[in-house]
Amino acid sequence: MTTTTHNGDRNRDEDKDSDGYEIDTDPGRLDIGLVHHWLSTDAFWALGRSRDTVERSIGGSLNFGVYGPDGGQVAYARVVTDRATFAWLCDVYVAPAHRGRGLGARLATAVRDHLAPYELKRTMLATVDAHELYAKVGFVPVPDPELLMILSSER
């Protein structure tokens, strides 16, 4: 898998593999309609998310698209970050036809490696069912969850 970065990000990674998959951070390459479809219809955490919300979230994030050997997009993740102290990995999605090939772990690894030069104090995520996957790339449970709070729109 080849990983390329764009838009003035601090590093340019290349992880070549013979399977033909590529990870790219160029937001212009994203199939926004497909990302919206995945998130709004198949991702339990984003069901019903509007196209406008997806577009705005992409515009305010560092985006990672995974592209198959034919060039079509097969996975997505985004990171909300200030590129100095904090990052939040979210909306990680692999298309059903491409699951079971290790793409989720490879995508999480690419995100971790891409963020490494920023020397962030904290990179976080939330997951219901992928703890083992994220542990493989270095994520651990929050050591003091009682210190965290959330401002929720659900009141």
Side-chain angles (χ1 to χ4, degrees):
M1 179 177 321
T2 302
T3 305
T4 56
T5 62
H6 298 273
N7 296 334
D9 290 320
R10 292 179 59 190
N11 65 340
R12 183 172 180 89
D13 306 314
E14 293 225 355
D15 174 21
K16 297 190 181 200
D17 206 334
S18 61
D19 64 3
Y21 286 96
E22 176 187 11
I23 298 176
D24 194 341
T25 61
D26 180 3
R29 191 171 174 193
L30 294 172
D31 183 337
I32 296 173
L34 183 59
V35 172
H36 172 253
H37 175 75
W38 287 338
L39 295 177
S40 66
T41 66
D42 193 41
F44 67 87
W45 66 90
L47 293 176
R49 188 177 289 175
S50 73
R51 168 83 183 226
D52 178 64
T53 298
V54 170
E55 289 178 359
R56 286 185 292 123
S57 69
I58 287 171
S61 301
L62 172 60
N63 300 277
F64 293 78
V66 181
Y67 303 90
D70 66 356
Q73 189 171 350
V74 301
Y76 174 73
R78 69 185 182 93
V79 177
V80 181
T81 183
D82 59 12
R83 292 181 172 90
T85 63
F86 181 79
W88 180 266
L89 173 59
C90 55
D91 290 342
V92 179
Y93 184 90
V94 177
H98 294 271
R99 293 178 187 162
R101 301 177 192 199
L103 294 178
R106 290 158 69 179
L107 183 53
T109 299
V111 168
R112 179 201 64 201
D113 294 349
H114 183 93
L115 295 175
Y118 299 115
E119 299 178 348
L120 303 172
K121 179 177 175 108
R122 184 170 291 120
T123 300
M124 298 181 72
L125 61 80
T127 185
V128 170
D129 58 359
H131 295 80
E132 288 183 30
L133 179 145
Y134 293 113
K136 289 178 185 176
V137 298
F139 284 90
V140 298
V142 175
D144 299 309
E146 67 277 2
L147 298 178
L148 298 176
M149 296 184 74
I150 184 171
L151 179 61
S152 178
S153 62
E154 301 170 9
R155 299 181 210 268

Coordinates of all heavy atoms in Angstrom, one line a residue, residues 42-80:
D42 N -24.6 3.2 6.7 CA -24.1 2.0 7.2 C -23.2 2.1 8.4 O -22.9 1.1 9.0 CB -23.2 1.3 6.0 CG -22.8 -0.1 6.3 OD1 -23.7 -0.8 6.9 OD2 -21.7 -0.5 6.1
A43 N -22.8 3.3 8.8 CA -22.0 3.5 10.0 C -22.9 3.9 11.2 O -23.5 4.9 11.2 CB -21.0 4.6 9.7
F44 N -23.0 3.0 12.1 CA -24.0 3.2 13.2 C -23.9 4.5 13.9 O -24.9 5.0 14.4 CB -24.0 2.0 14.2 CG -22.7 1.9 15.0 CD1 -22.6 2.6 16.2 CD2 -21.6 1.1 14.6 CE1 -21.4 2.6 16.9 CE2 -20.5 1.1 15.3 CZ -20.4 1.8 16.5
W45 N -22.7 5.0 14.0 CA -22.5 6.3 14.7 C -22.9 7.5 13.9 O -22.9 8.6 14.5 CB -21.0 6.4 15.2 CG -20.1 6.5 14.0 CD1 -19.7 7.7 13.4 CD2 -19.4 5.5 13.2 NE1 -18.8 7.4 12.3 CE2 -18.7 6.0 12.2 CE3 -19.5 4.1 13.4 CZ2 -17.9 5.3 11.3 CZ3 -18.7 3.3 12.5 CH2 -18.0 3.9 11.4
A46 N -23.1 7.3 12.6 CA -23.4 8.5 11.8 C -24.7 8.3 10.9 O -24.9 9.1 10.0 CB -22.2 8.7 10.8
L47 N -25.5 7.4 11.3 CA -26.7 7.1 10.5 C -27.5 8.4 10.4 O -27.8 9.1 11.4 CB -27.6 6.0 11.2 CG -27.0 4.6 11.1 CD1 -27.8 3.7 11.9 CD2 -26.7 4.1 9.7
G48 N -27.9 8.7 9.1 CA -28.7 9.9 8.9 C -27.9 11.2 8.8 O -28.5 12.2 8.6
R49 N -26.6 11.1 8.9 CA -25.8 12.4 8.8 C -26.1 13.0 7.5 O -26.0 12.3 6.4 CB -24.4 12.0 9.0 CG -23.5 13.3 9.1 CD -22.0 12.9 9.4 NE -21.8 12.4 10.8 CZ -20.7 11.9 11.2 NH1 -19.6 11.9 10.5 NH2 -20.6 11.5 12.5
S50 N -26.3 14.3 7.5 CA -26.6 15.0 6.2 C -25.3 15.2 5.3 O -24.2 15.1 5.8 CB -27.2 16.4 6.5 OG -26.2 17.3 7.0
R51 N -25.6 15.3 4.1 CA -24.5 15.6 3.1 C -23.7 16.8 3.5 O -22.5 16.9 3.4 CB -25.0 15.7 1.7 CG -24.1 16.2 0.6 CD -23.2 15.1 0.1 NE -22.3 15.7 -0.9 CZ -22.0 15.1 -2.1 NH1 -22.6 14.0 -2.4 NH2 -21.2 15.7 -2.9
D52 N -24.5 17.9 3.9 CA -23.8 19.1 4.3 C -22.9 18.9 5.5 O -21.8 19.4 5.5 CB -24.9 20.2 4.6 CG -24.3 21.5 5.1 OD1 -23.6 22.1 4.3 OD2 -24.5 21.8 6.3
T53 N -23.3 18.1 6.5 CA -22.5 17.9 7.6 C -21.2 17.1 7.2 O -20.1 17.4 7.7 CB -23.3 17.1 8.7 OG1 -24.4 17.9 9.1 CG2 -22.4 16.7 9.9
V54 N -21.4 16.1 6.3 CA -20.2 15.4 5.9 C -19.2 16.3 5.2 O -18.0 16.3 5.4 CB -20.6 14.2 5.0 CG1 -19.4 13.6 4.3 CG2 -21.4 13.1 5.8
E55 N -19.8 17.2 4.3 CA -18.9 18.1 3.6 C -18.2 19.0 4.5 O -17.0 19.3 4.4 CB -19.7 18.9 2.5 CG -20.1 18.0 1.4 CD -21.0 18.8 0.4 OE1 -21.3 20.0 0.6 OE2 -21.4 18.2 -0.6
R56 N -18.9 19.6 5.5 CA -18.2 20.5 6.5 C -17.2 19.7 7.3 O -16.1 20.3 7.6 CB -19.3 21.1 7.4 CG -20.1 22.2 6.6 CD -21.0 23.0 7.5 NE -22.1 22.1 8.0 CZ -22.4 21.9 9.2 NH1 -21.8 22.5 10.2 NH2 -23.4 21.2 9.6
S57 N -17.5 18.5 7.7 CA -16.5 17.7 8.5 C -15.3 17.4 7.7 O -14.2 17.5 8.2 CB -17.2 16.4 9.0 OG -17.4 15.5 8.0
I58 N -15.4 17.1 6.4 CA -14.3 16.9 5.6 C -13.4 18.2 5.4 O -12.2 18.2 5.5 CB -14.7 16.4 4.2 CG1 -15.2 14.9 4.3 CG2 -13.6 16.5 3.1 CD1 -15.9 14.4 3.1
G59 N -14.1 19.3 5.3 CA -13.4 20.6 5.1 C -12.6 21.0 6.4 O -11.7 21.7 6.3
G60 N -13.0 20.5 7.6 CA -12.4 20.9 8.8 C -11.4 19.8 9.3 O -11.0 19.9 10.5
S61 N -11.1 18.8 8.5 CA -10.4 17.7 9.0 C -9.2 17.3 8.1 O -9.2 17.7 6.9 CB -11.3 16.4 9.1 OG -12.4 16.7 9.9
L62 N -8.3 16.5 8.6 CA -7.2 15.9 7.8 C -7.8 14.6 7.4 O -8.2 13.7 8.3 CB -6.0 15.7 8.7 CG -4.9 14.8 8.1 CD1 -4.3 15.4 6.9 CD2 -3.8 14.7 9.2
N63 N -8.0 14.3 6.1 CA -8.7 13.2 5.6 C -7.8 12.1 5.0 O -6.8 12.5 4.4 CB -9.7 13.7 4.5 CG -10.7 14.7 5.0 OD1 -11.7 14.3 5.6 ND2 -10.4 15.9 4.9
F64 N -8.2 10.9 5.2 CA -7.4 9.8 4.7 C -8.4 8.9 3.8 O -9.4 8.4 4.3 CB -6.9 8.9 5.8 CG -5.8 9.6 6.6 CD1 -6.1 10.5 7.6 CD2 -4.5 9.3 6.4 CE1 -5.2 11.2 8.3 CE2 -3.5 9.9 7.1 CZ -3.8 10.9 8.1
G65 N -8.1 8.8 2.5 CA -8.9 7.9 1.7 C -8.0 6.7 1.3 O -6.8 6.8 1.1
V66 N -8.7 5.6 1.3 CA -8.0 4.4 0.8 C -8.6 4.0 -0.6 O -9.8 4.0 -0.7 CB -8.2 3.2 1.7 CG1 -7.4 1.9 1.2 CG2 -7.7 3.5 3.1
Y67 N -7.7 3.8 -1.5 CA -8.1 3.5 -2.9 C -7.6 2.2 -3.4 O -6.5 1.8 -3.1 CB -7.5 4.6 -3.8 CG -8.0 6.0 -3.3 CD1 -7.3 6.7 -2.4 CD2 -9.3 6.5 -3.7 CE1 -7.7 7.9 -1.9 CE2 -9.7 7.7 -3.2 CZ -8.9 8.4 -2.3 OH -9.4 9.6 -1.8
G68 N -8.5 1.4 -4.0 CA -8.2 0.1 -4.5 C -7.3 0.1 -5.7 O -7.0 1.1 -6.3
P69 N -6.9 -1.1 -6.2 CA -6.1 -1.2 -7.4 C -6.7 -0.6 -8.6 O -6.0 -0.1 -9.5 CB -6.0 -2.7 -7.6 CG -6.2 -3.3 -6.2 CD -7.2 -2.4 -5.5
D70 N -8.0 -0.5 -8.6 CA -8.7 0.2 -9.8 C -8.8 1.7 -9.6 O -9.3 2.4 -10.5 CB -10.1 -0.4 -10.0 CG -11.1 -0.1 -8.9 OD1 -10.7 0.5 -7.9 OD2 -12.2 -0.5 -9.1
G71 N -8.3 2.2 -8.5 CA -8.4 3.7 -8.2 C -9.6 4.1 -7.5 O -9.7 5.3 -7.0
G72 N -10.6 3.2 -7.3 CA -11.8 3.6 -6.6 C -11.6 3.6 -5.1 O -10.8 2.9 -4.6
Q73 N -12.4 4.5 -4.4 CA -12.2 4.6 -3.0 C -12.9 3.5 -2.3 O -14.0 3.1 -2.6 CB -12.8 6.0 -2.5 CG -12.5 6.2 -1.1 CD -12.9 7.6 -0.6 OE1 -13.3 8.5 -1.4 NE2 -12.9 7.8 0.7
V74 N -12.2 2.9 -1.3 CA -12.7 1.7 -0.6 C -12.8 1.9 0.9 O -13.3 1.0 1.6 CB -11.9 0.4 -1.0 CG1 -11.9 0.2 -2.5 CG2 -10.4 0.6 -0.5
A75 N -12.2 3.0 1.4 CA -12.2 3.2 2.9 C -12.0 4.7 3.1 O -11.5 5.5 2.2 CB -11.2 2.4 3.6
Y76 N -12.2 5.1 4.4 CA -12.1 6.5 4.7 C -11.8 6.7 6.2 O -12.3 5.8 7.0 CB -13.4 7.3 4.4 CG -13.5 8.7 4.8 CD1 -12.7 9.7 4.2 CD2 -14.2 9.1 5.9 CE1 -12.7 11.0 4.6 CE2 -14.3 10.4 6.4 CZ -13.5 11.4 5.7 OH -13.6 12.7 6.1
A77 N -11.1 7.7 6.6 CA -11.0 8.1 8.0 C -10.7 9.6 8.0 O -10.1 10.1 7.0 CB -9.9 7.3 8.7
R78 N -11.0 10.2 9.1 CA -10.6 11.6 9.2 C -10.1 11.9 10.6 O -10.4 11.2 11.6 CB -11.8 12.6 8.9 CG -12.9 12.6 9.8 CD -14.0 13.4 9.3 NE -15.1 13.5 10.3 CZ -15.3 14.4 11.2 NH1 -14.4 15.4 11.3 NH2 -16.3 14.3 12.0
V79 N -9.3 12.9 10.7 CA -8.7 13.3 12.0 C -8.9 14.8 12.2 O -8.7 15.6 11.3 CB -7.1 13.1 12.0 CG1 -6.5 13.6 13.3 CG2 -6.8 11.6 11.7
V80 N -9.5 15.2 13.3 CA -9.7 16.5 13.7 C -8.5 16.9 14.6 O -8.3 16.2 15.6 CB -11.0 16.7 14.5 CG1 -11.2 18.2 14.9 CG2 -12.2 16.2 13.7

